[in-house]
Amino acid sequence: MKKSAATPAKTAPILEVSGLRLERGQTVILDDIAWRVARGQHWVILGPNGCGKTSLLRALTGYISPTSGDVSVLGHTYGECDWRDLRLQIGIVTTSLQASIPPAEPAIETVISGKYAQLDLWIKNTRADETAALKLLRFAGIGHLARREWLYLSQGERQRILIARALMANPRLLILDEPCSGLDPVAREHFLAFIEKLARRRACPALVLVTHHVEEITPAITHALVLRAGKIIAQGPLATALTGKTLSASFDSPIRLTRRANRLGLQFTGRGKNSVF
């Protein structure tokens, strides 16, 4: 009988990946991934399309089985305990969830559904659940939208609701998979300000931001993981792992990393193998 993962190990890292390899047919998708997220750290994962970001996320959440290697959450390893309990420790916000939300579902019910890891919630709401969900919606700056149906929410409002939904389960790790996708520039800046507010929250889980855009990295992000062709080419504290050199290697194009007013930017400095210009 597999042991429960309900009780976290207090001294264990939030997440630990060792020797992770993923093969499908003759294709190696992830190759010897070793990564550790400690308490108090917030990470960004960067890399070009096809570098393995999505496959890594699916392995972290138990939706795909690696060829070899281990994934541990709070000291509990997939395959050695109930993976359903483990997955509850990891919240994920991705636009792919949006298609599964019923159009007529009020925002507060979408948030409550996160507690039960259930889409299209059919469980009757309790007063305690509604109070907790409303508190999270207010923290996200959208408490006034609690009764608004999913169909009539903007993209930015939906992303905030999905973050509140993930927080409803009190996860120890929160993955934000390209959360600014589809947002206009003004909505993106408002959303990034909310992410920064979330990261500074005392009870905030460890964050993992997955993005193509360095300008979406807020000051609260402490560490970076840079991928290329299924391999890690740099990882560690943001200032040392995220450089023009590592980004140039990842995207196979000459890039200069700029910093201005606590925000990062990129300058393309010439032609690389992947250039379409």
Side-chain angles (χ1 to χ4, degrees):
M1 182 176 179
K2 293 180 180 179
K3 59 186 179 181
S4 171
T7 304
K10 293 183 178 180
T11 59
I14 298 293
L15 173 71
E16 189 159 20
V17 180
S18 60
L20 189 66
R21 184 177 179 86
L22 178 63
E23 299 176 11
R24 290 298 182 265
Q26 300 298 312
T27 303
V28 177
I29 301 170
L30 296 173
D31 187 8
D32 195 26
I33 301 295
W35 177 36
R36 187 176 188 270
V37 177
R39 297 164 192 270
Q41 295 179 348
H42 299 311
W43 286 73
V44 60
I45 301 178
L46 291 109
N49 291 330
C51 71
K53 297 190 299 295
T54 299
S55 295
L56 178 57
L57 295 188
R58 295 186 69 193
L60 297 182
T61 50
Y63 285 107
I64 191 171
S65 297
T67 305
S68 59
D70 293 314
V71 176
S72 297
V73 180
L74 298 168
H76 302 285
T77 302
Y78 282 120
E80 298 179 4
C81 61
D82 193 324
W83 67 270
R84 294 167 298 181
D85 288 342
L86 265 188
R87 202 168 62 186
L88 286 175
Q89 301 291 335
I90 303 177
I92 185 165
V93 174
T94 174
T95 55
S96 63
L97 282 177
Q98 295 194 13
S100 300
I101 308 295
E105 184 172 81
I108 194 166
E109 291 190 9
T110 302
V111 175
I112 291 171
S113 73
K115 177 180 177 180
Y116 302 98
Q118 179 188 111
L119 294 169
D120 193 6
L121 185 68
W122 56 267
I123 297 174
K124 185 177 180 180
N125 298 340
T126 66
R127 181 173 295 180
D129 285 346
E130 291 200 358
T131 299
L134 185 57
K135 183 177 180 181
L136 287 170
L137 285 169
R138 287 171 176 163
F139 170 75
I142 50 173
H144 61 290
L145 299 177
R147 303 298 172 182
R148 183 167 297 182
E149 296 178 350
W150 184 258
L151 179 65
Y152 302 110
L153 296 164
S154 71
Q155 178 71 1
E157 291 164 350
R158 289 177 175 183
Q159 289 294 77
R160 291 184 186 227
I161 288 168
L162 290 179
I163 289 179
R165 179 183 185 274
L167 293 175
M168 191 71 182
N170 294 315
R172 305 304 298 275
L173 178 69
L174 178 58
I175 298 171
L176 306 174
D177 184 14
E178 300 188 35
C180 295
S181 177
L183 300 183
D184 64 52
V186 174
R188 185 182 72 167
E189 288 305 306
H190 285 301
F191 186 77
L192 291 176
F194 168 59
I195 295 299
E196 183 71 7
K197 175 185 174 183
L198 172 64
R200 303 293 183 186
R201 189 183 185 211
R202 184 176 181 181
C204 181
L207 298 180
V208 173
L209 170 68
V210 181
T211 181
H212 295 292
H213 307 288
V214 297
E215 61 269 23
E216 294 176 4
I217 301 173
T218 71
I221 299 296
T222 61
H223 289 69
L225 179 75
V226 185
L227 297 174
R228 179 176 184 240
K231 295 183 178 182
I232 295 175
I233 63 171
Q235 67 170 303
L238 192 70
T240 56
L242 193 64
T243 65
K245 182 178 180 180
T246 57
L247 288 173
S248 296
S250 176
F251 289 91
D252 205 10
S253 293
I255 291 171
R256 186 164 73 90
L257 187 66
T258 63
R259 289 178 172 84
R260 183 178 180 183
N262 291 324
R263 293 290 290 273
L264 300 174
L266 290 182
Q267 287 186 350
F268 182 70
T269 59
R271 288 184 183 274
K273 294 179 181 179
N274 291 336
S275 174
V276 295
F277 298 100

